[in-house]
Amino acid sequence: MMRFILPFVVFMIMAAFMYVGLGLNPHEVPSPLIGKAAPAFTLPQLHEPSKQFSPQDMKGKVWLFNVWASWCTACEGEHPVFMQLARQNIVPIYGMDYKDKREDGEAWLRKHGNPYTLVVSDMEGRVGIDYGVYGVPETYLIDKQGVIRHKQIGAVTPEVLNEKILPLIKELQAK
Amino acid sequence: MKKYLLVLLLCLLPAFSYAGQAKDMAADPVLEKRMIGLAENLRCLVCQNESLASSHADLAEDLRREVREQMQKGLNDQEIIDYLVSRYGDFVLYDPPVKKSTLVLWYGPFVLLLLGIGVLVYQLRKRKSLIAETELSDEDAQRAAALLNEPPKLQNKPKDFQA
């Protein structure tokens, strides 16, 4: 009997590891920034470059920080989700135009609509590096104390928004 | 006249103060070599099986620029690695540190090796017990000796060849 049980158990253990392993997305690298203060920066605004924005201005508010670019095709996919969310007026969405040309970014927002309370531009991608951005789009949820609570790597889908991000926003806003 | 000439000569002086253009960062071969050496042990996050040194991804170029600038600022390699790890996590390291989440990675193979040795020893012991020699009784020993010492009986005796 042992002859059959033992290989079967070994097989099941291996199968379990492989099942979990194949289900993981290797492009989702867990960010070390979760639970840490959002890195400070001061960047010019996209629409009014003479004005600046820095995350310290957002103390006391729960907000979403979405990194996007006009050259990013996946951003077009998630954009309607943000347009819808902006209409609901639940949480302010701030955008960062990442490694883009100002004209291209502005034209893209004219074409697809602008869900952002404000957009900053990170032409050289330096702030992106501070936030550990390695693929666009990426979205950060930042709490009232300025701590990063969640990082969405890749597009925000309606499922991710409803199951993960919105409940977390409610929880953080109640605090 | 002499005075004017002197002033004129002095006016030409700035022409000799040309010190060459600011060096491109990449033009400093020592620094570049050090940067590549470090970047070879770091993973590019975009194309994950490429090192930061060999990747052509946009982000890899930016990160190489960042590493160069940090080196110029006088940071040592460990400080630069810490800088990148604090942003991108241990994932950027091809040589991840031993900690709770990497215990399986570091010691898993040895556990498997020990397990394998255990199974091998167990199996060998089991086999040995299966083929253990049984003691021959005196009777059997005599029979065996008799059989072994008997001259071979040729069953098909070749017939004498007669012409």
Side-chain angles (χ1 to χ4, degrees):
Chain A
M1 199 57 189
M2 208 46 194
R3 277 176 67 184
F4 300 106
I5 292 174
L6 200 68
F8 182 70
V9 169
V10 170
F11 168 77
M12 286 312 281
I13 292 171
M14 280 170 68
F17 268 96
M18 286 175 186
Y19 181 78
V20 174
L22 287 173
L24 294 174
N25 181 356
H27 280 277
E28 265 183 37
V29 180
S31 172
L33 287 164
I34 308 253
K36 299 222 174 92
F41 64 81
T42 307
L43 279 178
Q45 298 183 10
L46 181 73
H47 295 95
E48 287 174 87
S50 57
K51 284 190 190 165
Q52 292 187 318
F53 168 78
S54 108
Q56 287 91 310
D57 304 347
M58 296 305 290
K59 277 270 159 77
K61 277 185 198 159
V62 177
W63 55 296
L64 281 177
F65 185 48
N66 172 238
V67 183
W68 64 278
S70 70
W71 45 262
C72 149
T73 37
C75 297
E76 274 175 51
E78 73 169 356
H79 206 64
V81 177
F82 284 126
M83 290 302 286
Q84 171 98 35
L85 183 64
R87 274 194 287 274
Q88 288 171 319
N89 232 346
I90 298 171
V91 66
I93 311 166
Y94 283 68
M96 180 163 86
D97 192 9
Y98 175 72
K99 287 180 78 79
D100 207 352
K101 286 195 196 114
R102 187 176 300 282
E103 314 85 78
D104 294 349
E106 283 182 315
W108 194 85
L109 285 180
R110 270 197 299 278
K111 189 177 164 199
H112 298 282
N114 184 356
Y116 304 111
T117 312
L118 194 149
V119 184
V120 291
S121 59
D122 182 25
M123 300 292 158
E124 288 181 51
R126 284 177 196 270
V127 174
I129 290 175
D130 279 343
Y131 275 77
V133 171
Y134 62 90
V136 196
E138 285 184 17
T139 306
Y140 300 81
L141 176 60
I142 299 167
D143 74 7
K144 290 178 182 172
Q145 283 76 42
V147 174
I148 295 177
R149 289 296 176 183
H150 179 75
K151 179 186 180 187
Q152 178 65 30
I153 295 156
V156 172
T157 58
E159 292 80 53
V160 170
L161 184 72
N162 290 323
E163 284 160 27
K164 247 191 222 159
I165 298 176
L166 280 180
L168 199 54
I169 288 175
K170 283 213 181 88
E171 195 191 310
L172 292 172
Q173 279 175 338
K175 266 186 196 167
Chain B
M1 189 60 205
K2 223 177 171 183
K3 232 186 205 168
Y4 287 114
L5 206 70
L6 195 68
V7 169
L8 210 71
L9 272 174
L10 280 174
C11 283
L12 286 172
L13 206 61
F16 297 101
S17 66
Y18 182 66
Q21 262 182 323
K23 254 189 205 155
D24 187 352
M25 299 161 204
D28 180 348
V30 179
L31 189 112
E32 194 65 12
K33 214 174 154 191
R34 191 180 146 210
M35 188 278 287
I36 295 292
L38 184 63
E40 264 167 0
N41 290 314
L42 297 170
R43 186 202 301 267
C44 169
L45 286 115
V46 182
C47 16
Q48 301 182 341
N49 288 329
E50 269 192 296
S51 77
L52 208 53
S54 60
S55 176
H56 291 285
D58 226 24
L59 180 70
E61 264 164 46
D62 287 356
L63 287 175
R64 284 200 294 270
R65 177 195 67 197
E66 206 69 29
V67 170
R68 255 185 230 120
E69 286 177 5
Q70 306 235 347
M71 284 178 168
Q72 282 171 332
K73 275 191 221 157
L75 272 74
N76 65 35
D77 288 4
Q78 191 54 49
E79 285 168 326
I80 295 170
I81 286 173
D82 290 345
Y83 166 89
L84 289 170
V85 168
S86 72
R87 282 156 180 76
Y88 295 100
D90 292 334
F91 194 79
V92 292
L93 305 173
Y94 274 126
D95 187 9
V98 181
K99 51 165 135 172
K100 232 196 218 162
S101 59
T102 56
L103 278 182
V104 174
L105 179 72
W106 278 106
Y107 298 114
F110 296 109
V111 172
L112 285 179
L113 183 70
L114 284 179
L115 220 69
I117 291 174
V119 169
L120 185 71
V121 167
Y122 172 77
Q123 289 290 339
L124 285 177
R125 283 222 177 124
K126 210 166 89 177
R127 226 166 77 112
K128 215 175 161 189
S129 75
L130 280 178
I131 57 169
E133 280 181 40
T134 43
E135 292 270 320
L136 281 179
S137 63
D138 286 349
E139 213 174 295
D140 284 339
Q142 273 173 11
R143 234 183 97 210
L147 282 168
L148 287 168
N149 293 329
E150 214 169 74
K153 275 189 225 158
L154 294 177
Q155 251 144 27
N156 301 316
K157 238 185 196 172
K159 284 177 185 155
D160 287 336
F161 204 78
Q162 288 175 342

